[in-house]
Amino acid sequence: MTLYLLCMVLFCIGLYGVLRKRNIVKIIIGIAIMSYSVNLFLVLLGYRFHGRAPIDAHDQTITNMVDPIPQAIVMTSIVVGLAMMALLIAISIRIYEKYGTFDITKIKKLKG
Amino acid sequence: MKLINIIPLLIIVPLAAAFLNSLFGRIIKRLGGALALVSVVISCGFAVYARIALEAVPDKILVYKIGGWVPPFGICMVFDGLSSLMLVVINLAAFFIMIYSLNYMEKYTDKTKFYTLFSLMVCGLNGVALAGDLFNLFVFLEIASIASYALVAFGTEAEELEAALKYAIMGAVASSFILIGIAFLYGFTSTLNMADMAIVLSQKHNIWVVSFVSVLFIAGLGLKAAMIPFHAWLPDAHSSAPAPVSAMLSGVLIKTLGVYSLFRILFNIIGASDNYLGMLMFLGAVSIVVAGVLSLSQMNFKRLLAYSSISQIGYIVLGISLATPLGIFGGLFHLFNHSIFKPLLFLNAGAIDYAGGGTDLDQAKGAGRFMPVTAKTNLIASLSISGIPPFNGFFSKLIIIIACAQKAHFGYALCAVIGSIFTLCALMKMRKFIFTEDAETERKRAFKEVPFGMAFAMVCLAFLCLSAGLILIPELRVFISDAADVLLNGTGYGDIVMRASLK
Amino acid sequence: MAQLKPGMSIIVQSISRLTAGMILVFGMHIILHGHLSPGGGFAGGVIIALAFVNLLIAFGAKTGISRVSENLASNLETVGAMMFLTVALLGFLGGTFFLNILSKGEAFSLFSAGTIPLSNISIGLKVGVGLFAIFLALVILEKARK
């Protein structure tokens, strides 16, 4: 139970980074921490007591394996997070070219 | 070809068009637009044909099993009344916007990437509408969202990049919330199939997981749907994007990714209680009034249209969360209507921009005198969105107000009427500046009518605005009442899908 | 910003040249054994991409881009995606979308499990070249800014 709560604490740390930091790069790192914590939570959901890795071979039985579905979900989620990070970093590099700063309090052309 | 084989083609055809575009688009110059147009025509034809053919199917539901695996062991695609309504909405809007963008994107470089991203977005939207598995829904939602972040930043001006950054960061946070909600639901029910999850959840009697997950989904999917208080990204993103992208985002994306996903999960899987539906009604009513007020003071007419989008989403959310047959019918009918006249309004704004008027109300003064097609279609769309009879907006807003009054929520009905008045004022302000004042003389020479492709798309959408009120006659009413029946069934969705998947 | 010397020192360049082949072979092993042991398309693809990124960092951007240009990377990535879509469409020959139509073979051997190794290879190609193309795009953006 405490492991799940610690994953939620990690999620809140990432959320704090997105909400309170002024540098765009730190905000992007906050988003990355949030997605890592969700992946960790998903993998921990699959654990069974005295389970072993869900790999089948000639001499293994398929009882007492951990759950393989969250592992497939996490694979997909990591790829999606990778695409999101690449897009965010490319946009923020272009913003640095146009505005000359990474500070979000100074990137304020659109108002109202 | 049999109806059941058409269902995966709705996802494959735009995906194949996107990949072929990105491979051959640089070699053959005109290929990009032609390939994307052909794929959108094919998927639009399939969607309309499948909707008409669905009437003959018993139980009005089709389940396509991918790879032949029977759910809950395999992934399935579900084509029922609600999915078919969303598919017709998505593909019809994409068809007209694609015709428009063949002419509009001449002013941008690197058109191949635009058509690739547009086809990927259409593929993602079709996948969300057809998903029968919760994680499949999430993956297609991400495909459509990431394609839209890249499309908003397409022109790479300073304002577009800033708007795209805000939209992307807020969208990433919302996606994390949605994924945590899915993780909790999986941990509690140990299945990812939506139908199986509905059956399992209706048998267990635990309370706290369902409440926690409802709040997470309202936050995450509410941000994708741009309800108040999650609306802050929408005015920037929809006003800085190129006009076809704004039309697609405002007309289709916020409704499919936000409203459809939220109500599919809340009604059919979790079986929402009255507390959460009451909260959604309140948020919808607040959206109508606050966004209506905010749209009155804008001097940039695309921003004005973006705020009125938030207001109309409030109508849809208010209508559907009433959970009565009339209310859900009104909400879904307003969803269909809004995806006809809001793209038309944004395409008009794009036409004024294309003719050299810029996006400020002061700069575009008097542009409409020289552009008759744009002026007449704008008149039709403005009257529709304000709810003037006999255009289609009148009927859907009337049904929502009557449904509110039937459930004795007179405050919300009053909010809906006030919002309609605000919308009328805002659109009349836009028309006064652009279409009835006189232009300055040195700009008069630049304004001329738009090319044929853009005019054709606008006229077709205006014609649909005029005739969509005919959906209320009893033969055509099944188009929307089938979708309303699916939502009213609630968690009975699980049994129906499981029975249909055994055939 | 100070003018960067092309690439890194001679020690790093020789070691990169020696180990790039081994990293590629390791990546291909993980892709091909995707149905027998953990890994599969995505993990193997990332390892293949890292081999190329290693060479790019060691030898400097100009040499790297002249060997694998961004057009080639983008086209190869789309070829990988089209291969995956073709493998999925082959299922239509048997009835439904994405059906596994090749013979399943005997369990736990390398040439078994139907179309799953083909999907793994396509995904490995796409992810590997795609990740390298993202890296190339950011490098070219940085060079154009100076």
Side-chain angles (χ1 to χ4, degrees), chain B residues 108 205 391:
Chain B
Y108 288 82
H205 293 290
F391 298 102

Side-chain angles (χ1 to χ4, degrees), chain A residues 45 67 80 98-99 109 112, chain B residues 142 156 162 183 186 303 307:
Chain A
L45 271 182
D67 196 359
V80 168
K98 303 274 178 181
Y99 285 84
K109 274 202 192 157
Chain B
E142 284 295 290
T156 62
E162 173 191 344
Y186 173 73
R303 230 175 146 86
Y307 273 112

Side-chain angles (χ1 to χ4, degrees), chain B residues 62-80:
Chain B
L62 277 174
V63 174
Y64 187 85
K65 304 179 271 288
I66 296 186
W69 297 95
V70 180
F73 303 115
I75 301 180
C76 60
M77 293 194 218
V78 172
F79 184 70
D80 59 0

Side-chain angles (χ1 to χ4, degrees), chain B residues 90-172:
Chain B
I90 295 169
N91 289 313
L92 213 58
F95 172 58
F96 289 123
I97 295 176
M98 178 58 81
I99 297 182
Y100 181 91
S101 67
L102 284 176
N103 278 331
Y104 185 84
M105 299 307 288
E106 297 291 327
K107 294 203 164 175
Y108 288 82
T109 58
D110 217 358
K111 296 185 271 291
T112 327
K113 294 208 175 65
F114 175 80
Y115 292 120
T116 307
L117 285 168
F118 195 87
S119 300
L120 270 178
M121 192 164 76
V122 169
C123 167
L125 289 169
N126 281 346
V128 167
L130 277 174
D133 189 88
L134 202 57
F135 195 64
N136 237 8
L137 183 91
F138 176 71
V139 169
F140 280 115
L141 196 138
E142 284 295 290
I143 293 179
S145 298
I146 296 184
S148 70
Y149 305 152
L151 276 175
V152 167
F154 191 71
T156 62
E157 305 281 325
E159 283 113 16
E160 301 188 25
L161 287 170
E162 173 191 344
L165 183 77
K166 284 189 204 172
Y167 179 25
I169 291 180
M170 295 178 83

Side-chain angles (χ1 to χ4, degrees), chain A residues 20-36:
Chain A
R20 287 277 288 171
K21 293 292 175 185
R22 282 168 51 166
N23 197 341
I24 288 185
V25 181
K26 294 186 186 171
I27 294 178
I28 295 179
I29 292 179
I31 293 180
I33 294 180
M34 276 168 70
S35 68
Y36 297 158

Side-chain angles (χ1 to χ4, degrees), chain A residues 8 11 15 18 24 27-28 31 34-35 37-39 41-42 45 48 67 69-70 72-74 76-77 80 83-84 87-88 91-92 94-95 98-99 104 107-112, chain B residues 135 138-139 142 146 149-150 153 156-166 168-169 171-173 175-177 179-180 182-184 186-187 192 212 235-236 239-240 298 303 307:
Chain A
M8 291 295 119
F11 186 80
L15 195 59
V18 173
I24 288 185
I27 294 178
I28 295 179
I31 293 180
M34 276 168 70
S35 68
S37 84
V38 177
N39 293 340
F41 180 69
L42 271 169
L45 271 182
R48 305 279 174 261
D67 196 359
I69 287 189
I73 296 180
V74 164
T76 311
S77 167
V80 168
M84 179 80 79
L87 189 65
L88 277 172
I91 292 181
S92 60
R94 288 288 193 129
I95 282 191
K98 303 274 178 181
Y99 285 84
I104 58 168
I107 304 180
K108 269 210 269 190
K109 274 202 192 157
L110 292 169
K111 281 199 244 239
Chain B
F135 195 64
F138 176 71
V139 169
E142 284 295 290
I146 296 184
Y149 305 152
T156 62
E157 305 281 325
E159 283 113 16
E160 301 188 25
L161 287 170
E162 173 191 344
L165 183 77
K166 284 189 204 172
I169 291 180
V173 173
S175 295
S176 299
F177 276 117
L179 193 57
I180 289 194
I182 293 179
F184 269 101
Y186 173 73
L192 280 174
F212 188 58
D236 295 332
S239 60
S240 327
Q298 303 295 326
R303 230 175 146 86
Y307 273 112

